[in-house]
Amino acid sequence: MLVEASWGLGESVVSGRVTPDRWSLDKATGKVCHRQIATKMLELTLEGIKSVSPERQQQPCLDETQLRDLVELARRVEMLFGTDCDIEWAWSEGRFWLLQARPITTIDGLNRERVLAEEIATLKAKAAPDGTVWSRFHFAEVLPTPTPMTWSIIRKELLSGRGGFGHLYRDLGFDPDPTLDDDGVYDLAFGRPYCNLSREPLLYFRGFPLEHPFETLKADPRKALYPQPVLNPARLDWRFGCGYQSRFPC
C-alpha cells in the first residue's frame, strides 16, 4: 500500500505542485516497509499558497499511529469495493476523513504482465553482453520518480553526453565516450532512474580501462550501493591513451 501526504490541502499533492512524503506499507500488518520524507517548502491553504515553517519542512506529515489508522481505513474501503482502490483522504480535527475512493481498474493482471515484459525487454537491450548491474545512487536520490515529461527533458538536456553532464566532464578535461551522446549513464526502470554501471566508466574517457565487474556485484549486491570500478586492461582502447596525453601533457 502506497501512501502520499503533504501539509495543507491535498490539491497540492494531486496537481504535483509539491513533492509529498511517501510510505510503502504492508497492507496485511500495517508495517512500514519503506519511507521517503520530502522537504516540504509550500502548503496550500484556504488563504492560498504559504511557506511551511522551517521546523515542519522535514517533519513527517503522519506518525505511525496515523499510518496504521489509514491502513485500516483503506482495508474497509477495499472490502466494500471488493478490489484495490485509489483513495483520497484528509486528516482534520484529530481524525481521517474519506474524500473519494475509486477502484483501480487499469492495473489488472494482464496489463501488469505486459508492462513487466516491456520493461525487461527495454533493459535487456541496454544491458552489456556480459551482464549489467543498475544501481540507485547519486542522481537517483535527487529525482527518485520523475514524470515522463521530466525524464524526457532531463535525460536529453542534462544527463546525456551532449547535455550538461557531457559538457561538464569535457570542461574538467575528460573525454566522454560518444556512445553516451544520447543515452548517458542513467536508465529509467519502472519509473525510477538507475545508474548503468556498464556505461558509467565511459563518462570519463572513451576506452577507459575501468569496469564494474558484473559477477562481483551479482555475488554481493551491497557493493553496488557505493560501486568502485576496478582496472581491466582488456577494455583499454588506443584512443584513451592518445586522448589522455593530448589533454594532460607530461
Side-chain angles (χ1 to χ4, degrees):
M1 184 178 294
L2 178 66
V3 174
E4 294 185 332
S6 191
W7 302 121
L9 300 177
E11 171 62 23
S12 59
V13 176
V14 176
S15 66
R17 186 186 297 270
V18 300
T19 299
D21 294 342
R22 292 188 176 94
W23 292 266
S24 177
L25 306 170
D26 186 305
K27 188 186 298 186
T29 66
K31 179 181 177 181
V32 176
C33 303
H34 177 74
R35 76 172 191 167
Q36 180 182 324
I37 305 304
T39 301
K40 301 167 286 293
M41 307 290 289
L42 303 173
E43 62 179 330
L44 183 62
T45 70
L46 293 176
E47 290 76 33
I49 300 174
K50 294 184 176 181
S51 297
V52 176
S53 59
E55 65 272 12
R56 295 170 63 225
Q57 289 179 6
Q58 294 184 321
Q59 177 184 334
C61 294
L62 301 172
D63 58 31
E64 292 189 5
T65 299
Q66 291 172 314
L67 288 169
R68 286 195 296 269
D69 291 344
L70 192 57
V71 169
E72 180 57 31
L73 174 62
R75 287 201 202 103
R76 290 162 53 197
V77 171
E78 293 190 350
M79 186 178 298
L80 177 64
F81 280 92
T83 185
D84 296 338
C85 289
D86 182 11
I87 300 168
E88 294 181 12
W89 50 269
W91 173 266
S92 180
E93 300 177 357
R95 56 165 291 186
F96 283 106
W97 299 81
L98 181 63
L99 306 179
Q100 179 172 283
R102 53 186 177 272
I104 299 175
T105 58
T106 57
I107 311 180
D108 56 27
L110 182 61
N111 282 333
R112 194 175 287 118
E113 289 300 319
R114 177 181 57 79
V115 171
L116 178 61
E118 291 175 353
E119 287 289 322
I120 291 175
T122 299
L123 292 174
K124 280 185 176 180
K126 295 177 179 292
D130 55 351
T132 287
V133 171
W134 283 269
S135 178
R136 281 184 61 74
F137 73 109
H138 292 339
F139 183 76
E141 298 173 358
V142 180
L143 191 68
T145 52
T147 65
M149 182 177 180
T150 298
W151 181 250
S152 177
I153 297 173
I154 290 291
R155 177 174 171 269
K156 178 181 178 181
E157 302 298 335
L158 176 63
L159 302 180
S160 70
R162 289 195 182 101
F165 266 27
H167 288 296
L168 170 66
Y169 277 82
R170 290 184 183 92
D171 287 345
L172 293 174
F174 296 106
D175 182 27
D177 194 288
T179 59
L180 303 180
D181 282 354
D182 295 321
D183 289 336
V185 300
Y186 284 90
D187 295 324
L188 200 66
F190 299 96
R192 297 170 180 266
Y194 287 79
C195 182
N196 185 315
L197 295 184
S198 294
R199 298 201 302 261
E200 191 269 343
L202 300 178
L203 190 59
Y204 305 98
F205 289 100
R206 61 187 77 193
F208 205 28
L210 293 181
E211 68 174 358
H212 297 280
F214 174 74
E215 293 299 335
T216 301
L217 297 177
K218 182 178 180 181
D220 188 0
R222 291 174 299 177
K223 292 182 178 180
L225 294 176
Y226 300 99
Q228 300 296 320
V230 298
L231 180 66
N232 181 359
R235 293 173 61 98
L236 183 62
D237 189 291
W238 65 269
R239 290 170 295 185
F240 164 68
C242 293
Y244 184 86
Q245 291 179 12
S246 66
R247 289 172 181 266
F248 299 97
C250 297

